[in-house]
């Protein structure tokens, strides 16, 4: 989640050096394969001057109450398009649907 949210800033910071840009894209590919290492992301961010906040402890979103599935209503959140991370965005917070920078896709709407 933290990497997804920080990727645009990391890419801007790495854009001035081809080696940094290549290293960032290699880390991104590792994350896509599900073998990401948050320490590598944090170290790279530090070298690029970007503070990376580790969001792994964030539970994200709302807990679903057993027995309340189906029907209308509920709470709409935008979640990771692949269901990999805990990122959860309020759909009313912006006019456009938030994007996952890792998968280059819009976050998917999920009703709770």
């Amino acid at each position: 989640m933290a990497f997804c949210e920080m990727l645009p800033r990391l890419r801007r910071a790495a854009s001035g050096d081809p080696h940094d840009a290549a290293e960032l894209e290699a880390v991104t590919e590792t994350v896509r394969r599900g073998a990401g290492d948050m320490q590598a992301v944090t170290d790279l961010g530090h070298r690029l001057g970007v503070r990376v906040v580790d969001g792994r402890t964030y539970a994200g979103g709302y807990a679903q109450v057993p027995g309340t599935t189906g029907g209308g209503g509920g709470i709409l959140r935008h979640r990771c398009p692949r269901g990999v991370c805990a990122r959860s965005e309020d759909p009313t917070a912006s006019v456009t649907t938030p994007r996952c920078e890792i998968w280059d896709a819009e976050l998917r709407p999920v009703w709770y």
Side-chain angles (χ1 to χ4, degrees):
M1 180 178 102
F3 182 62
C4 178
E5 292 174 341
M6 295 303 300
L7 191 53
R9 286 187 62 206
L10 290 166
R11 281 188 171 142
R12 282 191 299 276
S15 66
D17 183 321
H19 176 72
D20 289 340
E23 183 178 357
L24 178 57
E25 292 312 312
V27 169
T28 303
E29 183 56 35
T30 302
V31 170
R32 283 188 193 110
R33 290 193 316 267
D37 177 4
M38 195 60 195
Q39 189 59 49
V41 173
T42 302
D43 291 346
L44 179 59
H46 181 72
R47 285 198 320 273
L48 295 173
V50 176
R51 182 171 174 258
V52 177
V53 178
D54 183 353
R56 290 177 295 173
T57 58
Y58 171 66
Y62 298 92
Q64 186 167 341
V65 177
T68 61
T69 59
I75 299 169
L76 177 63
R77 300 293 292 177
H78 287 209
R79 302 297 308 259
C80 174
R82 300 279 177 111
V84 175
C85 80
R87 184 172 176 191
S88 178
E89 300 280 338
D90 180 353
T92 61
S94 84
V95 176
T96 61
T97 301
R99 295 190 64 78
C100 171
E101 297 297 328
I102 305 297
W103 298 105
D104 191 27
E106 288 186 344
L107 297 185
R108 64 186 169 91
V110 176
W111 284 96
Y112 291 91

